[in-house]
Amino acid sequence: MLLPFIVLIGAMFLMTRSAKKKQAQAVEMRNQLQPGTGVRTIGGMYATVKEIGDETVLLEVAPGVHAVYAKNSIGAVLEDAEYNRIVHGDEPGDVVPDDASSLTEAADEAAEDTTEGVKADLTKKTDAAEGDKDGKADGETEAK
């Protein structure tokens, strides 16, 4: 009879212990904030940390747009690569060239690969060659 109560108290102890660990990790993460760090709020907004106060954080949510948030509203601190991938759409493999010449060279090579061996038919087709059987031009219908 006493065994179920002991099991229940043990389960409650384990659950509160794991919750306290998660809270301690969240407090540590929020204390590690630095200006320039990319963050996600608990509401799902991505922003960059500009200033850090005792209980508040100044976030830049868009270029030139700043908002003050409570430190508790910071849900995650993101690495630079992850923040840039999410916010700016940067892919890790994407490399932007210094000039556009390499872009046009790649496009020219791709166009040459697709048109090899294909010749355009530039001859003018006549109505007889198109095979008009009923004598109607394209788009004409019978009027009643």
XYZ file of all heavy atoms in Angstrom, residues 68-128:
447
model
N 12.377 46.521 -27.752
C 12.856 46.100 -26.444
C 12.047 44.879 -26.013
O 10.813 44.896 -26.043
C 12.705 47.236 -25.409
C 13.163 46.773 -24.036
C 13.496 48.453 -25.845
N 12.756 43.830 -25.626
C 12.129 42.592 -25.183
C 12.660 42.211 -23.810
O 13.789 42.570 -23.446
C 12.447 41.439 -26.155
C 11.597 41.441 -27.395
C 11.885 42.281 -28.459
C 10.498 40.611 -27.496
C 11.114 42.288 -29.591
C 9.711 40.604 -28.631
C 10.027 41.451 -29.673
O 9.244 41.457 -30.799
N 11.872 41.455 -23.068
C 12.344 40.889 -21.807
C 13.324 39.774 -22.123
O 13.186 39.078 -23.128
C 11.167 40.350 -21.005
N 14.320 39.595 -21.267
C 15.292 38.527 -21.493
C 14.610 37.161 -21.524
O 15.039 36.270 -22.239
C 16.365 38.525 -20.400
C 17.523 39.421 -20.674
C 18.618 39.167 -19.655
C 19.821 40.007 -19.946
N 20.878 39.766 -18.945
N 13.546 37.007 -20.760
C 12.834 35.726 -20.723
C 12.176 35.380 -22.049
O 11.796 34.237 -22.270
C 11.772 35.732 -19.625
C 12.381 35.768 -18.246
O 13.544 35.419 -18.074
N 11.610 36.207 -17.270
N 12.032 36.362 -22.930
C 11.374 36.090 -24.209
C 12.333 35.526 -25.252
O 11.904 35.167 -26.342
C 10.718 37.358 -24.746
O 11.704 38.297 -25.092
N 13.626 35.430 -24.939
C 14.590 34.847 -25.865
C 14.472 33.332 -25.766
O 14.718 32.737 -24.722
C 16.040 35.289 -25.540
C 16.148 36.811 -25.539
C 17.018 34.651 -26.503
C 15.822 37.458 -26.856
N 14.069 32.711 -26.874
C 13.864 31.261 -26.882
C 15.111 30.485 -27.243
O 15.336 29.386 -26.740
N 15.959 31.043 -28.121
C 17.167 30.336 -28.548
C 18.185 31.335 -29.068
O 17.829 32.333 -29.694
C 16.838 29.323 -29.627
N 19.432 31.048 -28.792
C 20.538 31.796 -29.365
C 21.049 30.977 -30.536
O 21.348 29.792 -30.391
C 21.658 32.030 -28.330
C 22.833 32.741 -28.967
C 21.124 32.836 -27.158
N 21.121 31.581 -31.710
C 21.468 30.861 -32.931
C 22.918 31.122 -33.335
O 23.448 32.212 -33.116
C 20.544 31.296 -34.074
C 19.049 31.165 -33.787
C 18.255 31.800 -34.910
C 18.670 29.726 -33.609
N 23.525 30.120 -33.952
C 24.858 30.306 -34.528
C 24.731 31.199 -35.756
O 23.674 31.274 -36.376
C 25.450 28.959 -34.922
C 25.715 28.043 -33.761
C 26.288 26.712 -34.200
O 26.678 26.576 -35.382
O 26.340 25.813 -33.364
N 25.825 31.866 -36.111
C 25.789 32.801 -37.243
C 25.343 32.128 -38.542
O 24.540 32.671 -39.292
C 27.162 33.445 -37.453
C 27.504 34.431 -36.343
O 26.562 34.923 -35.689
O 28.698 34.707 -36.147
N 25.861 30.934 -38.810
C 25.512 30.238 -40.055
C 24.029 29.895 -40.097
O 23.360 30.060 -41.121
C 26.345 28.973 -40.202
N 23.494 29.438 -38.966
C 22.071 29.076 -38.925
C 21.191 30.312 -39.049
O 20.188 30.311 -39.759
C 21.757 28.339 -37.630
C 20.322 27.886 -37.536
C 20.009 27.163 -36.239
O 20.880 27.100 -35.360
O 18.878 26.668 -36.128
N 21.575 31.400 -38.363
C 20.805 32.645 -38.435
C 20.776 33.174 -39.867
O 19.721 33.550 -40.379
C 21.411 33.683 -37.490
C 20.699 35.008 -37.514
C 19.499 35.189 -36.834
C 21.217 36.088 -38.217
C 18.841 36.401 -36.859
C 20.573 37.305 -38.248
C 19.381 37.460 -37.561
O 18.718 38.652 -37.594
N 21.935 33.191 -40.546
C 21.989 33.674 -41.928
C 21.212 32.778 -42.874
O 20.588 33.250 -43.820
C 23.441 33.794 -42.394
C 24.146 34.950 -41.729
O 23.522 35.933 -41.347
N 25.442 34.822 -41.560
N 21.216 31.462 -42.630
C 20.454 30.548 -43.476
C 18.962 30.811 -43.344
O 18.232 30.864 -44.330
C 20.766 29.095 -43.096
C 20.023 28.069 -43.949
C 20.288 26.655 -43.461
N 19.867 26.424 -42.099
C 18.601 26.190 -41.717
N 17.641 26.183 -42.604
N 18.304 25.984 -40.452
N 18.501 31.026 -42.122
C 17.064 31.220 -41.887
C 16.608 32.607 -42.328
O 15.621 32.745 -43.052
C 16.735 30.994 -40.400
C 16.965 29.528 -40.040
C 15.308 31.411 -40.085
C 16.911 29.244 -38.569
N 17.316 33.642 -41.921
C 16.868 35.012 -42.154
C 17.169 35.482 -43.573
O 16.324 36.070 -44.238
C 17.503 35.964 -41.118
C 17.160 37.412 -41.428
C 17.027 35.596 -39.727
N 18.384 35.209 -44.057
C 18.800 35.723 -45.357
C 18.704 34.690 -46.472
O 18.927 35.016 -47.631
C 20.236 36.250 -45.281
C 20.418 37.299 -44.233
N 19.796 38.529 -44.277
C 21.139 37.297 -43.079
C 20.131 39.234 -43.217
N 20.940 38.513 -42.471
N 18.411 33.451 -46.137
C 18.310 32.409 -47.149
C 19.654 31.953 -47.670
O 19.738 31.366 -48.744
N 20.722 32.227 -46.935
C 22.053 31.815 -47.366
C 22.210 30.311 -47.199
O 21.856 29.753 -46.174
C 23.142 32.515 -46.538
C 23.160 34.011 -46.751
O 22.524 34.471 -47.718
O 23.812 34.709 -45.960
N 22.725 29.677 -48.204
C 23.050 28.258 -48.132
C 24.548 28.133 -47.899
O 25.324 28.935 -48.421
C 22.646 27.533 -49.423
C 21.151 27.459 -49.625
C 20.430 26.673 -48.550
O 20.990 25.689 -48.034
O 19.308 27.062 -48.214
N 24.995 27.144 -47.154
C 26.422 27.020 -46.865
C 27.280 26.892 -48.113
O 28.401 27.353 -48.142
C 26.519 25.748 -46.027
C 25.149 25.445 -45.582
C 24.207 26.130 -46.503
N 26.783 26.282 -49.170
C 27.567 26.076 -50.380
C 27.526 27.250 -51.334
O 28.266 27.288 -52.309
N 26.642 28.212 -51.110
C 26.522 29.351 -52.016
C 27.725 30.277 -51.864
O 28.061 30.705 -50.770
C 25.250 30.160 -51.737
C 24.002 29.428 -52.169
O 24.154 28.414 -52.857
O 22.905 29.870 -51.815
N 28.370 30.565 -52.974
C 29.483 31.500 -52.984
C 29.141 32.585 -53.981
O 28.848 32.314 -55.143
C 30.799 30.801 -53.387
C 31.932 31.808 -53.464
C 31.119 29.688 -52.426
N 29.163 33.806 -53.526
C 28.842 34.927 -54.395
C 30.139 35.418 -55.023
O 31.078 35.781 -54.316
C 28.160 36.055 -53.599
C 27.853 37.234 -54.501
C 26.911 35.544 -52.937
N 30.229 35.433 -56.364
C 31.462 35.894 -57.003
C 31.617 37.405 -56.878
O 30.645 38.124 -56.673
C 31.272 35.487 -58.463
C 29.809 35.411 -58.642
C 29.243 34.975 -57.320
N 32.867 37.856 -56.995
C 33.138 39.289 -56.912
C 32.647 40.044 -58.131
O 32.342 41.220 -58.071
C 34.635 39.533 -56.742
C 35.122 39.071 -55.377
O 34.281 38.959 -54.467
O 36.327 38.824 -55.231
N 32.611 39.373 -59.283
C 32.127 40.021 -60.496
C 31.139 39.087 -61.190
O 31.025 37.926 -60.869
C 33.275 40.386 -61.438
C 34.054 39.156 -61.882
O 33.852 38.087 -61.302
O 34.854 39.286 -62.823
N 30.405 39.619 -62.130
C 29.364 38.842 -62.799
C 29.888 38.029 -63.975
O 29.136 37.271 -64.575
C 28.254 39.764 -63.279
N 31.171 38.151 -64.318
C 31.689 37.453 -65.494
C 31.594 35.936 -65.344
O 31.302 35.234 -66.303
C 33.129 37.867 -65.772
O 33.966 37.472 -64.705
N 31.818 35.428 -64.143
C 31.742 33.979 -63.958
C 30.302 33.489 -64.081
O 30.063 32.345 -64.462
C 32.327 33.576 -62.607
O 31.569 34.154 -61.563
N 29.349 34.328 -63.774
C 27.945 33.929 -63.908
C 27.565 33.802 -65.380
O 26.855 32.872 -65.757
C 27.034 34.951 -63.224
C 27.186 35.063 -61.717
C 26.312 36.188 -61.196
C 26.847 33.761 -61.037
N 28.012 34.729 -66.213
C 27.657 34.665 -67.633
C 28.381 33.531 -68.332
O 27.845 32.909 -69.236
C 27.958 35.996 -68.343
O 29.338 36.321 -68.155
C 27.091 37.112 -67.788
N 29.612 33.224 -67.919
C 30.349 32.111 -68.515
C 29.632 30.795 -68.237
O 29.489 29.952 -69.110
C 31.769 32.057 -67.966
C 32.644 33.197 -68.437
C 33.971 33.254 -67.678
O 34.195 32.380 -66.823
O 34.753 34.165 -67.951
N 29.154 30.622 -67.022
C 28.455 29.388 -66.669
C 27.147 29.272 -67.442
O 26.773 28.190 -67.901
C 28.188 29.349 -65.169
N 26.445 30.376 -67.632
C 25.191 30.348 -68.376
C 25.441 30.030 -69.845
O 24.677 29.291 -70.472
C 24.467 31.679 -68.233
N 26.526 30.594 -70.417
C 26.861 30.314 -71.814
C 27.202 28.845 -72.017
O 26.778 28.225 -72.986
C 28.033 31.181 -72.278
C 27.664 32.658 -72.376
O 26.447 32.946 -72.446
O 28.586 33.502 -72.387
N 27.952 28.265 -71.085
C 28.315 26.848 -71.181
C 27.074 25.965 -71.086
O 26.932 24.989 -71.808
C 29.311 26.481 -70.088
C 30.686 27.066 -70.299
C 31.606 26.806 -69.113
O 31.203 26.045 -68.209
O 32.718 27.348 -69.100
N 26.159 26.310 -70.217
C 24.928 25.524 -70.070
C 24.087 25.613 -71.338
O 23.490 24.625 -71.779
C 24.131 26.011 -68.870
N 24.041 26.787 -71.957
C 23.262 26.960 -73.191
C 23.880 26.157 -74.324
O 23.164 25.560 -75.139
C 23.172 28.432 -73.559
N 25.203 26.127 -74.391
C 25.877 25.358 -75.444
C 25.617 23.867 -75.286
O 25.426 23.148 -76.253
C 27.382 25.637 -75.422
C 27.754 27.011 -75.933
C 29.241 27.287 -75.785
O 29.988 26.357 -75.407
O 29.658 28.424 -76.029
N 25.588 23.393 -74.046
C 25.354 21.970 -73.793
C 23.963 21.547 -74.231
O 23.772 20.445 -74.734
C 25.543 21.653 -72.311
C 27.004 21.755 -71.880
O 27.876 21.750 -72.775
O 27.267 21.840 -70.670
N 22.989 22.404 -74.074
C 21.615 22.027 -74.404
C 21.319 22.155 -75.892
O 20.399 21.508 -76.388
C 20.604 22.890 -73.624
O 20.830 24.259 -73.941
C 20.748 22.657 -72.126
N 22.082 22.971 -76.633
C 21.778 23.188 -78.051
C 22.689 22.416 -78.990
O 22.584 22.577 -80.195
C 21.870 24.688 -78.391
O 23.191 25.149 -78.093
C 20.838 25.486 -77.623
N 23.572 21.600 -78.465
C 24.468 20.825 -79.332
C 23.665 19.846 -80.176
O 22.832 19.107 -79.670
C 25.487 20.058 -78.490
C 26.698 20.873 -78.134
C 27.727 20.029 -77.396
O 27.739 18.799 -77.561
O 28.487 20.615 -76.640
N 23.921 19.829 -81.488
C 23.291 18.867 -82.382
C 21.863 19.202 -82.761
O 21.239 18.482 -83.519
N 21.310 20.291 -82.245
C 19.945 20.672 -82.574
C 20.001 21.868 -83.511
O 20.604 22.882 -83.198
C 19.149 21.043 -81.301
C 17.750 21.488 -81.667
C 19.130 19.879 -80.341
N 19.368 21.719 -84.691
C 19.342 22.817 -85.648
C 17.924 23.346 -85.748
O 16.964 22.582 -85.765
C 19.819 22.348 -87.015
C 21.283 21.941 -87.015
C 21.741 21.576 -88.391
C 23.198 21.183 -88.369
N 23.685 20.815 -89.682
N 17.812 24.644 -85.816
C 16.508 25.268 -85.909
C 15.986 25.170 -87.341
O 16.733 25.326 -88.305
C 16.590 26.730 -85.488
N 14.682 24.941 -87.491
C 14.044 24.887 -88.796
C 13.541 26.292 -89.115
O 12.554 26.751 -88.552
C 12.891 23.891 -88.777
C 12.254 23.738 -90.145
O 12.892 24.148 -91.145
O 11.139 23.206 -90.215
N 14.258 26.995 -89.977
C 13.941 28.379 -90.279
C 13.178 28.544 -91.584
O 12.991 29.661 -92.064
C 15.234 29.208 -90.336
C 16.067 29.209 -89.048
C 17.357 29.973 -89.262
C 15.275 29.800 -87.901
N 12.729 27.461 -92.191
C 11.998 27.559 -93.453
C 10.575 27.996 -93.198
O 9.975 27.680 -92.168
C 11.998 26.213 -94.181
O 11.385 25.234 -93.355
C 13.415 25.788 -94.522
N 10.023 28.736 -94.163
C 8.656 29.215 -94.046
C 7.711 28.108 -94.471
O 7.881 27.495 -95.519
C 8.454 30.451 -94.932
C 7.085 31.057 -94.786
C 6.982 32.336 -95.567
C 5.585 32.907 -95.411
N 5.427 34.140 -96.145
N 6.716 27.874 -93.662
C 5.744 26.838 -93.982
C 4.554 27.466 -94.696
O 4.090 28.535 -94.333
C 5.270 26.144 -92.712
C 6.390 25.396 -92.024
C 5.904 24.687 -90.817
C 7.054 23.943 -90.162
N 6.671 23.301 -88.956
N 4.044 26.780 -95.671
C 2.874 27.272 -96.411
C 1.639 26.590 -95.859
O 1.708 25.612 -95.127
C 3.008 26.962 -97.903
O 3.074 25.542 -98.059
C 4.249 27.616 -98.493
N 0.474 27.114 -96.233
C -0.783 26.534 -95.776
C -0.929 25.094 -96.244
O -1.442 24.251 -95.520
C -1.970 27.362 -96.280
C -2.036 28.713 -95.565
O -1.438 28.816 -94.465
O -2.672 29.626 -96.104
N -0.490 24.793 -97.441
C -0.596 23.436 -97.969
C 0.287 22.480 -97.174
O -0.075 21.335 -96.937
C -0.206 23.406 -99.444
